[in-house]
Amino acid sequence: MINIFEAITKRLIDAWRTEEPSGRGYKYRCQCGRPVFFRNSLCLGCKTPLGYHPEVAQVCAIQPGPKKGTWIMHGQNKKKAPLWRRCENFDSPAGCNWLVSADEEETLCLSCRLNQTIPNLDDPDNCRWWRLIENAKRLLVAQLLNLGLPLKSKVSEDPENGVMFDFMRSPEKGPRVLTGHANGLITLNVEEADDSKREKMRHELHEPYRTLLGHFRHEIGHYYWDRLVAGTPWHEKFRDLFGDERQDYAAALKRNYEQGPPPDWADRHITSYAAVHPWEDWAECWAHYLHVVDSLDTALGFGLRGEDVEAAVEPFTVDDLYDPTVPDANHVILLVNSWVQLTMVLNELARSMGQQDFYPFVMSRQVLRKLHFIQLIVKETRGGYSIM
């Protein structure tokens, strides 16, 4: 499987700075040629069933297999093709469209098997919220798999080093469920899926951005700090760049809520919350790294090119990277500068619709160093060097 880094790089080299159209158009297409999307389980044009194939990272057209409840890729020979089943949660409120190999005993897909606790589905609100939560989680899991990062279920596959999710709702009389991470367990308050409640929290906490996907990307960042940084040769380098995580975390939170972030936080951090503690700085940068990689890959998947964007920006240079000597430093800078140009235009489009900025962030040079540091760790985890 081509890694997401190589795929983005190749498309940039081939199309981003040329005058020829990319010819890609849409990221996924049905067998009939119509565009389909990540969440789809049915082509609305030709009514062909669809399923997400995690091994090839594609939404694929499928057809019934030789055995009841099995599927094969559309157009394949029923006698020779590998057999698939739909995830057990396909008919649940989660509406999961992922496929599971028919050879596996596991009935849940790679994303759904990460769940330890789901909300009480006797409540209609919980059903609606859980569907929104799972939609966001599947986006996260698909990206992590594409990046080649370790991702096993703590529930059923790797109790020691895996990850799992608790989706819980606060009781009427409390205590309130807090979203967070602890030793591979990510807890999410399902009320975050309620747009009005989440927006109220965003306003009260003075956050420019608060989404379900953002929560997932932030909390999984804490998990990967434990897996990829703590106790490794990267640990001291982390402290040099992000700060010493041994400082009192509770005291740092208390100071932030009482005094607010330091006035110069934007020079060193992607968000004000990142200034609270090195752990939060890492998690915010990790989430931002995933935002940038996925959003730019999507833009390229729809054929957007550099010539489509007219925005004058002060470009970053290779000297702004954590390690400017890496072999493809120039490609990293090409991607980052393209991202900055693209988000400027997208922000203007959002303002034209009376919406909040699509990208309410300013990427400083210090933040770019941190993002590049994260990419180097991802690269090492994959076993080879790639670019962002």
Side-chain angles (χ1 to χ4, degrees), residues 242-253 255 275-279:
F242 289 84
D244 193 333
E245 82 288 351
R246 290 172 293 188
Q247 62 182 275
D248 191 306
Y249 182 78
L253 279 178
R255 181 171 59 252
V276 169
H277 188 275
W279 278 335

Side-chain angles (χ1 to χ4, degrees), residues 26-45:
Y26 293 93
K27 196 167 186 179
Y28 309 116
R29 287 187 179 272
C30 178
Q31 56 85 27
C32 69
R34 290 181 174 90
V36 293
F37 302 92
F38 182 72
R39 299 179 186 178
N40 291 161
S41 58
L42 182 73
C43 175
L44 298 181

Side-chain angles (χ1 to χ4, degrees), residues 261-269 271-272 275 364:
D264 63 343
W265 67 264
D267 295 336
R268 295 173 286 113
H269 305 286
T271 65
S272 60
S364 68

